[in-house]
Amino acid sequence: MDELYLDNIDEFVNDHDKIVTYKWLSLTLGIHVNTAKQMLFHYLDHKRKESSAQLHATYLVSGKFVDNGQTSHKVSVVREEQLEDVKAKMSLIVSVHVYSVQKALLKDSGPLYSVDYDAVKDNLKNCSKYSAIRCATAVPMSSLELQQAREMHRPPSPEPENKKPAMNGNGILASKPSAKPAKGIMGMFANKSTPKNQDSGREIKSEQKEDAPVVDAPKSRPAAKANPMMNFFGSQPAKKPEKNVKEEEAAQSSSTAAEKQRRSPQPEQKRGDVVAEPQKNTKNDSRSKNKRIEDSDSEEDKMEKKKRRRIKLPEPDSSDEDVIPDSPPQMETREASPSPKKEVEAVTHSYQGNSDGKIRKRRRVLKSRTFVDEEGCIVTEKGYESESYSETEDDFQPTKQALRDPFKASSSKDDEKKSQKKSSASANKGTKQASIMGFFQKK
Amino acid sequence: MFSDLSAQKEGSSLLCRPASEDQGPAVFERTSLAYSPSSERYGVGERSFSRQYAHIYAARLMQMRPLLSERAKEKWGSDVLIRKLCDLETGEQCCIVGTLFKRMELQPSILKEISEEHNLLPQPARAKYISETDELILEDELQRIKLEGKIDKNKCVTGSVIAIYGAERNDGKFTVEDFCTADLPLQTARPSLSSDRFVLLASGLGLGSSRADSMLGLQLLVDMVTGQLGDLGEQSGAATISRVLLAGNLLSQSTQDKDASTKAKYLTKKTQAGSVEAIRLLDELLLQLVASVPVDVMPGQYDPTNYTLPQQPLHRCMFPLSSVYPTLQLASNPYQADIDGVRFLGTSGQNVCDIQRYSSMDSHVEILEETLRLRHLAPTAPDTLGCYPFYLKDPFILEECPHVYFSGNAPAFESKHIKGPDGQEVLLVTVPEFSSTQTACLINLRTLHCEPVSFSAFSADEDEESEMNISH
């Protein structure tokens, strides 16, 4: 057992023609650096006694060096031939050990660096695992801690964001007559109530994406997209085609602007969730979890999850930072997620701060719930659901969506939030009535 | 000395066979110290550049005037007349307090450059912009007056606030008989430590450069600090290095070439800025370090942060791998912190280099001392050194005397102990540029003594080992 490493090193040096540095050996064999150094020495010794093998070694010498009256600590890598020479020049030798063993004579120490660099690169996570020094404080922070640390630096920023989005969001809703139909479609996919802020957001996002294109002139294929979607809705509850189409849409209308727009949506769904959890990231999860549990059946869940998963794939390609952090595993575990969610939370957070003193109420809201019934048909039902809100947060949802909408940065940035909300509330109602997509709503 | 400390362990050499299984590998605990950063004053909150720079000078003078008046009274007697320039009377011996302005012919002036009547070509960069024809002028809040006499104009720089004793002559110039600076501020006593603890200072890592000679040296440095290199003795010595401070210029100057702005877009479309790769390298390097020792990273002249002083800390998004460790501290330039009761203050060297260009002083440590005596980190800001337009107060004025005062990216390692008038003791350290000297500094917190640590490797064109990379 003890001698096994000798064979190993032999193999590396002779057969693979590698330059075996102590660090490389330590990382490869998973041993303490000092042991690696000793092993190299032993190997060298052994090989030389055994046969006059063509082996060359480099050594590390460090010690006190006096130069013109200035003492310094000198650490150097030297060739074997120069070892004694260098040792003689130092006034006090601190350490000497084998640095590397290789077959060829090294003229330059460059390769030593590249060997170590590669070894470290492959083992970045545990580069200090085999070193001789442990640092108690050097423990990577968990994502939760990281978030908290960042949130401490964050508070000022979400505030301005808040205001702007509120306006923008309202602006968007006001201008889109098809917002309602979008919601209807969205309602279908979004499994009524659900929950996962991000996930529903995702879906809604994709929905809204199609919707946004529909309304927004800049998007080219809007109408074309909308129709196939509608067809699918009308005809059958085939999830896959829907998903595909959605994906396509998601992929195509992946401009950041569009995405940001629909980030918003979830007026009904998300609002309740987000608003309900003042300061805690994880609370969000629990609340949405509740909603999910109470509302969906497993089939739907699966469908939703599948949909979410599929949708998410194309999104990471986009440059929208909101999209990227939401990955399937996160969706599953519902953990406090990276920045977008954090931003959302931060917004909520600051938002809560703003609405201090306002009364939170629950009210019943007429909502459409879309779900798949036993036969596999998608059914939409309207029903009352209670929701929590507070006076100032009429349009929290639009606020949220506005958050993501940069290009609607209109002058209303400076307006009061309240007035914004009120106007958006009325705007919402307005769109409902004026919508020509009323056809598709009553499904 | 670090070497002495590390060599204490006898008999445990690594030139032997590996020990048997039961003897576990030696692991040393890194000494951790009380650390409290106090660089908040160098953080710039809201950045509004719509102000004029004159306000900094006003704030500076306002803050320093009382200090200088006191010093003047101490030096020339408490009955010395301290006059404002507007109240000056000819022939009267008095003391005036104000900001120095050195009018230099060779100082690059954008106005001259673009002025059509002069038809000047842009001036080539010079090492020094001083000349014999320079003039010293003292300004206070309302007026200015030319200075002559016993004041060495070559050593003075614009922006220093000083007190001058002399008299005004008939021709309107002020004859200087003596002058004094604000000198060192008060210092809180340094706690006496029981054991040796070290702080490693390095600067000018120069990552991303086309010449990669210093990379092995850098790797050796990292290995030594993280305890991988060396014998047991050295490793236990390295465990006493409780903090690493990287004082600027982590990226090399070659990452700064602004090809993107000058070249045509179609030529630079697929090329990446040099700093992208360099930052990635830096992140990996930092990861190795932070996994083992707390690190403070200061930005420098060539690092991706703002140009004006105070430079803001590098953003943590550039360091995805290493920023998950709480041991990584991204600091501003200038930097101030209390490490185990020892106050460190320093910059990445831009202020010192600038003073070097506009005065006859060449030695970085001499310039460091001068700035300390002037009680101002960067007197030439904002005149020749880029600076944020402060208006409420000047954050570069030293309010408390540090125990260790350093500047990075010096051509060579130098250190000096100086004493202040009120019993202050300061260690001045000029941290050499690692990419060219392969040397870093180790400061012993117990004795406040600094020692250079140099790293070397061998290369094909060197036959004698000893010639290599000595720090000076």
Side-chain angles (χ1 to χ4, degrees), chain A residues 5 44 81 149 157 177 244 267 289 310 324 354 394 420 437:
Chain A
Y5 62 82
L44 207 59
E81 311 79 77
S157 46
N244 289 342
K289 266 190 197 124
R310 294 297 292 276
I324 294 170
N354 291 340
D394 271 350
Q420 289 170 12
M437 302 290 275

Side-chain angles (χ1 to χ4, degrees), chain A residues 182-194 199-200 203-204 206-207 210 229-230 232-233 236-246 269 300 303-305 307-308 311 369-372 378 380:
Chain A
K183 275 191 210 125
I185 302 164
M186 158 177 98
M188 258 188 346
F189 285 87
N191 192 19
K192 29 169 179 202
S193 67
T194 335
D199 302 333
S200 49
E203 294 182 343
I204 298 175
S206 54
E207 249 99 313
E210 109 194 32
M229 275 303 255
M230 301 312 181
F232 276 116
F233 297 159
Q236 21 98 337
K239 325 281 179 354
K240 290 250 158 58
E242 280 162 353
K243 269 185 278 176
N244 289 342
V245 177
K246 250 211 249 179
Q269 277 99 335
E300 275 172 323
M303 172 189 92
E304 289 306 331
K305 278 190 190 156
K307 282 203 199 128
R308 286 178 218 143
I311 294 164
R369 295 183 332 156
T370 312
F371 59 94
V372 180
I378 299 180
T380 307

Side-chain angles (χ1 to χ4, degrees), chain B residues 67-234:
Chain B
L67 307 168
L68 278 165
S69 308
E70 268 204 47
R71 289 272 180 229
K73 291 205 164 76
E74 277 172 32
K75 194 163 180 185
W76 301 306
S78 52
D79 54 346
V80 67
L81 287 165
I82 301 182
R83 287 243 188 259
K84 295 241 167 140
L85 285 178
C86 47
D87 303 324
L88 271 185
E89 287 172 36
T90 338
E92 189 192 13
Q93 290 278 15
C94 62
C95 162
I96 47 174
V97 174
T99 316
L100 267 182
F101 177 76
K102 190 155 99 169
R103 183 184 289 147
M104 295 172 275
E105 274 300 310
L106 296 173
Q107 180 178 352
S109 161
I110 187 69
L111 295 176
K112 279 193 203 157
E113 268 180 42
I114 61 177
S115 151
E116 286 175 1
E117 58 191 48
H118 286 250
N119 261 353
L120 283 180
L121 294 163
Q123 211 184 42
R126 297 164 67 100
K128 284 212 186 283
Y129 293 97
I130 54 172
S131 77
E132 280 309 304
T133 55
D134 295 341
E135 287 174 343
L136 272 183
I137 296 163
L138 192 80
E139 278 188 21
D140 72 358
E141 294 92 346
L142 299 172
Q143 291 186 341
R144 49 157 53 180
I145 190 164
K146 273 208 192 138
L147 297 177
E148 271 180 352
K150 296 197 187 110
I151 186 162
D152 186 357
K153 62 177 191 229
N154 286 331
K155 287 186 96 179
C156 295
V157 283
T158 304
S160 1
V161 185
I162 57 174
I164 296 185
Y165 186 71
E168 187 188 354
R169 279 210 324 250
N170 287 341
D171 60 354
K173 295 194 187 164
F174 196 90
T175 316
V176 180
E177 282 171 33
D178 198 5
F179 71 95
C180 81
T181 58
D183 229 325
L184 278 67
L186 291 175
Q187 187 184 61
T188 49
R190 184 166 60 90
S192 54
L193 298 167
S194 49
S195 59
D196 280 322
R197 307 216 197 127
F198 293 88
V199 171
L200 184 89
L201 266 77
S203 78
L205 303 184
L207 291 171
S209 73
S210 39
R211 298 170 43 244
D213 322 355
S214 62
M215 294 309 285
L216 182 60
L218 200 52
Q219 191 61 51
L220 288 177
L221 171 69
V222 173
D223 285 344
M224 188 197 87
V225 173
T226 55
Q228 305 197 17
L229 212 60
D231 265 344
L232 283 169
E234 179 146 13

Side-chain angles (χ1 to χ4, degrees), chain A residues 232-267:
Chain A
F232 276 116
F233 297 159
S235 51
Q236 21 98 337
K239 325 281 179 354
K240 290 250 158 58
E242 280 162 353
K243 269 185 278 176
N244 289 342
V245 177
K246 250 211 249 179
E247 259 182 84
E248 274 177 76
E249 295 221 317
Q252 278 142 354
S253 55
S254 62
S255 79
T256 50
E259 280 177 353
K260 287 193 193 262
Q261 267 180 354
R262 48 39 260 142
R263 205 0 136 101
S264 62
Q266 352 155 335

Side-chain angles (χ1 to χ4, degrees), chain A residues 311-357:
Chain A
I311 294 164
K312 277 181 186 141
L313 278 174
E315 300 202 342
D317 301 333
S318 73
S319 51
D320 188 353
E321 54 124 36
D322 302 337
V323 182
I324 294 170
D326 295 350
S327 51
Q330 273 209 329
M331 167 171 76
E332 247 69 65
T333 53
R334 293 282 211 85
E335 277 185 294
S337 59
S339 22
K341 190 142 188 234
K342 224 186 329 166
E343 256 184 76
V344 159
E345 256 81 58
V347 173
T348 331
H349 189 151
S350 51
Y351 220 96
Q352 287 310 310
N354 291 340
S355 56
D356 254 349

Side-chain angles (χ1 to χ4, degrees), chain A residues 59-281:
Chain A
Y59 286 81
L60 181 98
V61 186
S62 74
K64 196 153 119 177
F65 187 78
V66 181
D67 185 27
N68 295 343
Q70 169 80 260
T71 39
S72 64
H73 184 83
K74 194 151 184 290
V75 177
S76 46
V77 176
V78 298
R79 286 197 288 257
E80 205 165 0
E81 311 79 77
Q82 300 154 330
L83 181 60
E84 292 310 316
D85 219 10
V86 175
K87 270 166 85 170
K89 292 207 171 75
M90 295 209 176
S91 61
L92 173 69
I93 307 283
V94 172
S95 56
V96 182
H97 66 76
V98 181
Y99 190 83
S100 78
V101 172
Q102 62 278 340
K103 234 162 68 171
L105 175 69
L106 282 181
K107 287 272 180 223
D108 190 58
S109 45
L112 290 176
Y113 170 68
S114 36
V115 166
D116 276 344
Y117 178 74
D118 292 331
V120 168
K121 194 114 188 272
D122 297 331
N123 291 288
L124 273 180
K125 290 283 176 214
N126 47 1
C127 44
S128 267
K129 203 160 139 193
Y130 306 112
S131 86
I133 299 181
R134 284 276 172 281
C135 181
T137 49
V139 176
M141 297 191 282
S142 68
S143 54
L144 196 58
E145 285 173 344
L146 272 174
Q147 251 188 317
Q148 285 168 355
R150 282 167 204 175
E151 264 181 19
M152 284 191 333
H153 297 297
R154 274 266 206 158
S157 46
E159 288 298 330
E161 261 182 303
N162 235 347
K163 303 211 193 276
K164 191 173 57 129
M167 211 19 154
N168 298 341
N170 300 340
I172 296 168
L173 284 182
S175 65
K176 287 200 224 150
S178 59
K180 186 54 187 163
K183 275 191 210 125
I185 302 164
M186 158 177 98
M188 258 188 346
F189 285 87
N191 192 19
K192 29 169 179 202
S193 67
T194 335
K196 229 174 189 178
N197 304 353
Q198 234 104 11
D199 302 333
S200 49
R202 241 330 120 60
E203 294 182 343
I204 298 175
K205 215 187 297 195
S206 54
E207 249 99 313
Q208 205 87 0
K209 258 189 225 172
E210 109 194 32
D211 155 55
V214 171
V215 181
D216 259 4
K219 301 300 171 227
S220 42
R221 59 195 95 216
K225 280 295 139 175
N227 291 334
M229 275 303 255
M230 301 312 181
N231 291 340
F232 276 116
F233 297 159
S235 51
Q236 21 98 337
K239 325 281 179 354
K240 290 250 158 58
E242 280 162 353
K243 269 185 278 176
N244 289 342
V245 177
K246 250 211 249 179
E247 259 182 84
E248 274 177 76
E249 295 221 317
Q252 278 142 354
S253 55
S254 62
S255 79
T256 50
E259 280 177 353
K260 287 193 193 262
Q261 267 180 354
R262 48 39 260 142
R263 205 0 136 101
S264 62
Q266 352 155 335
E268 276 96 285
Q269 277 99 335
K270 197 165 177 175
R271 187 157 44 133
D273 290 344
V274 180
V275 151
E277 316 126 346
Q279 273 91 6
K280 289 162 211 157
N281 303 341

